[in-house]
Amino acid sequence: MEWIKYTVDYGIIGLLGLMSIAVLAIVIERLLVYRNLRLGEFKDKRKLELELTSNLHLIGTVGRNAPYLGLLGTVLGIMLTFYDMGVSGQMDAGRIMVGLSLALKVTAAGLLVAIPAVTAYNLLQRRVKVLVTNWEIRHG
């Protein structure tokens, strides 16, 4: 069961870290695209929408799934805590609390990834809506 501890600490938290870096990279890329976009170059509204919404689904996916990944890490951490208690035969309240609090760190990490991702997704969706509306005003 020792491998679960390393999986939680390095695997799941590491994956959440990579997800947050990916979201940040996509947000920066999208903002640069929106800043340099020339609405007059698009004759078809659908092509404009495709360009504007490219990769936004990845941000939304991270925002929706990061809490679940954090919850998975917490469940694994709690399992490890109970397993260690069962093997040692000791029911020390301090040891239980330490194990559970360490398990909850993964849920916190999942939320720290999800909250900014969902916020960025919503802000970028709003920007897409504004750009499409401006295109519609110009092109009737």
Side-chain angles (χ1 to χ4, degrees):
M1 285 296 240
E2 191 65 26
W3 65 272
I4 292 178
K5 181 177 187 279
Y6 294 110
T7 300
V8 171
D9 285 345
Y10 300 109
I12 295 178
I13 292 178
L15 183 58
L16 287 166
L18 289 174
M19 290 167 67
S20 67
I21 292 168
V23 165
L24 182 61
I26 294 169
V27 167
I28 291 169
E29 183 266 341
R30 290 285 84 200
L31 290 173
L32 291 172
V33 167
Y34 297 161
R35 189 175 73 181
N36 297 321
L37 188 75
R38 300 200 193 317
L39 292 176
E41 294 177 1
F42 291 90
K43 302 299 180 207
D44 186 3
K45 179 181 170 184
R46 293 175 296 172
K47 286 185 180 180
L48 173 64
E49 288 175 342
L50 284 173
E51 175 66 26
L52 293 175
T53 59
S54 176
N55 294 329
L56 288 186
H57 65 285
L58 297 174
I59 298 171
T61 300
V62 168
R64 288 181 187 91
N65 289 301
Y68 294 120
L69 191 56
L71 182 60
L72 173 64
T74 297
V75 169
L76 292 174
I78 290 171
M79 286 173 46
L80 180 63
T81 299
F82 286 134
Y83 177 80
D84 286 344
M85 287 183 335
V87 169
S88 70
Q90 296 178 356
M91 295 296 196
D92 179 23
R95 189 173 178 181
I96 294 170
M97 293 303 137
V98 168
L100 296 179
S101 67
L102 291 176
L104 289 171
K105 72 181 174 190
V106 189
T107 297
L111 292 173
L112 286 173
V113 172
I115 292 169
V118 170
T119 302
Y121 178 79
N122 289 333
L123 292 172
L124 291 172
Q125 284 287 10
R126 171 65 183 151
R127 185 72 179 132
V128 166
K129 188 178 273 188
V130 167
L131 289 167
V132 169
T133 302
N134 284 333
W135 183 91
E136 288 173 340
I137 290 169
R138 290 181 185 172
H139 291 88

